[in-house]
Amino acid sequence: MIEEKFDAIVVGAGMAGNAATLTLAQRGLKVLQLERGEYSGSKNVQGAILYADMLEKLVPDFREDAPLERHLVEQRFWMMDDNSHVGLHYRSEEFNEEKPNRYTIIRAQFDKWFSSKVKEAGATVLCETTVTELIQDAYGRVIGVRTDRAGGQIHADVVVLAEGVNGLLGTRAELRPRPKPENVALAVKEMHFLPRETIEARFNLKGDEGVVIEAAGTISRGMTGMGFIYANKECVSLGIGCLVSDFQKTGETPYGLLERFKSHPSVAPLIEGSEVKEYAAHLIPEGGFKAIPQLYGEGWVVVGDAAQLNNAIHREGSNLAMTSGRIAAEAIFQIKSRREPMTAKNLALYKAMLDESFVMKDMKKYKDMPALMHINSQNFFLTYPQLVSKAMQNFVRVDGTPKVEKEKRSLRAFVEARSWLGLFGDAFRIARAWR
Ligand SMILES: Cc1cc2nc3c(=O)[nH]c(=O)nc-3n(C[C@H](O)[C@H](O)[C@H](O)COP(=O)(O)OP(=O)(O)OC[C@H]3O[C@@H](n4cnc5c(N)ncnc54)[C@H](O)[C@@H]3O)c2cc1C
């Protein structure tokens, strides 16, 4: 095993770990990255939408060789009940730009490519190596890691914890609490393979254009959660996730939800005749701003999902992971350049820089959303989708009923289900949490 001391050790080779390691290596620091998987990406699960802006800051010319699937020209939001969906679709020719803003990717391929850039930059990358423990000195300062390899004790000035949402190192060392069941979603996902032309015809696409569908409603059976359908070149990623605490409470199973989602009349035709080649399950941190743990300490920082940096409202996680990884590395580089130690006082720079970025500003903006959604999940994920669907059907069905009568009927249905007070209360609470 490696005897020498490193400037930094990064635990994990996901989006956050790769961003941190790449930035540290690009700045000339001696950095070791440890990943328990066979290769970077082998353990990682994502929908997956890649946000170009954040990657461009790390690898400006990534479009030349990164394994990208489709660039997104359309986003659909579906509010579903058991037989229908009400959709808000945004499609723009402007997304067919020279440097597209968002792509679909397949994480296992993408992470492998990302890792090749990390190695090219000069970092030492060791896969199939699990970090089992953080080494702390008598004062509690983190001074290195222990791994599952023989003699696997390695020292560094600072350890970057990029171990993902269910990483245990930080919690074992009592640097951060274990995420609560109401702060994490369990998502399951399948990859449905279809001929390229079939995907393009079904999703109204040409060339490498792509579309993503985000779906909420009765598919989650009153639990806080969402489904997604993303078009790749030759497969469709489809999945659904709900809060772990809701699964515990209801006894529903993720697999049961996925089966229902797939057989929904709006979804089934999109994947008809497909061959399922992959099935994966993974946690997503969804506790929001209030669930963010302490982000730095004596000799350590935590980034990405391990730091609960995930914007569930906008379905963004990988970009927050990449940005927090890059910012942590930049802070470490600045401290190193000043020849100062990696104390908590100095590493507070990471938090200060993160606070100034979109990451913390977005997390803060939606700070009340997770609790609101959780407490009112029956209304937001069951009652309203059913009411909206009925109102829409009433609106479009032509049956000789005067329009005034139709409007009264729809309004009556809302008031009977929620009461005036309930309706105004819900609108007020959403507006307040959204602002
Ligand atoms: C179903 C699903 C769909 C998603 N869709 C999207 C999407 O479309 N767009 C988006 O932006 N985000 C999406 N996300 C969120 C996104 O995947 C995460 O935010 C992102 O992967 C976080 O990156 P990370 O590097 O923090 O963690 P991870 O990608 O989880 O990486 C952590 C790494 O650490 C390694 N590791 C853990 N413990 C140890 C250890 N002790 N020793 C060594 N290695 C260790 C793991 O093997 C892993 O490689 C989705 C998530 C899920 C589950």
Side-chain angles (χ1 to χ4, degrees), residues 260-277:
R260 274 172 59 92
F261 185 40
K262 284 192 303 185
S263 59
H264 189 282
S266 299
V267 178
L270 295 175
I271 51 167
E272 194 185 332
S274 64
E275 191 187 345
V276 182
K277 289 197 186 160

Side-chain angles (χ1 to χ4, degrees), residues 77-153:
F77 301 95
W78 285 0
M79 186 185 272
M80 304 174 89
D81 76 352
D82 291 348
N83 295 311
S84 60
H85 75 264
V86 179
L88 172 70
H89 295 194
Y90 182 69
R91 185 183 179 107
S92 173
E93 192 52 32
E94 285 176 26
F95 286 132
N96 274 321
E97 54 211 328
E98 195 192 332
K99 292 188 168 183
N101 178 254
R102 295 172 308 150
Y103 297 86
T104 50
I105 53 165
I106 294 172
R107 273 293 293 272
Q109 296 169 8
F110 179 84
D111 286 14
K112 248 188 191 172
W113 166 86
F114 203 176
S115 182
S116 73
K117 298 289 163 191
V118 169
K119 288 173 201 158
E120 274 170 31
T124 305
V125 181
L126 272 188
C127 291
E128 296 186 283
T129 309
T130 301
V131 176
T132 51
E133 203 186 340
L134 295 173
I135 304 172
Q136 289 171 282
D137 68 10
Y139 305 99
R141 289 185 293 233
V142 173
I143 53 167
V145 300
R146 229 167 247 122
T147 74
D148 61 350
R149 293 200 178 203
Q153 191 166 305

Side-chain angles (χ1 to χ4, degrees), residues 30 66 68 130 164 175 260 305 307 315 318 330 348 359 365 374 431:
K30 193 168 144 189
L68 306 168
T130 301
L175 305 180
R260 274 172 59 92
D305 273 13
R315 314 278 285 160
S318 62
E330 280 168 3
V359 173
K365 169 173 163 49
H374 191 199

Side-chain angles (χ1 to χ4, degrees), residues 11-17 34-37 41 43-51 107 111 129-132 162-165 167-169 187-189 228 230 282-284 303-306 309-310 315-319 321:
V11 183
M15 290 290 196
L34 300 166
E35 166 58 46
R36 65 180 174 180
K43 296 267 183 196
N44 301 337
V45 180
Q46 194 177 321
I49 305 174
L50 171 80
Y51 303 94
R107 273 293 293 272
D111 286 14
T129 309
T130 301
V131 176
T132 51
E163 51 178 341
V165 58
L168 294 171
L169 286 177
V188 284
K189 175 194 153 179
F228 63 88
Y230 297 166
H282 206 278
L283 296 175
I284 308 178
V303 295
D305 273 13
L309 298 174
N310 195 293
R315 314 278 285 160
E316 295 175 21
S318 62
N319 53 336

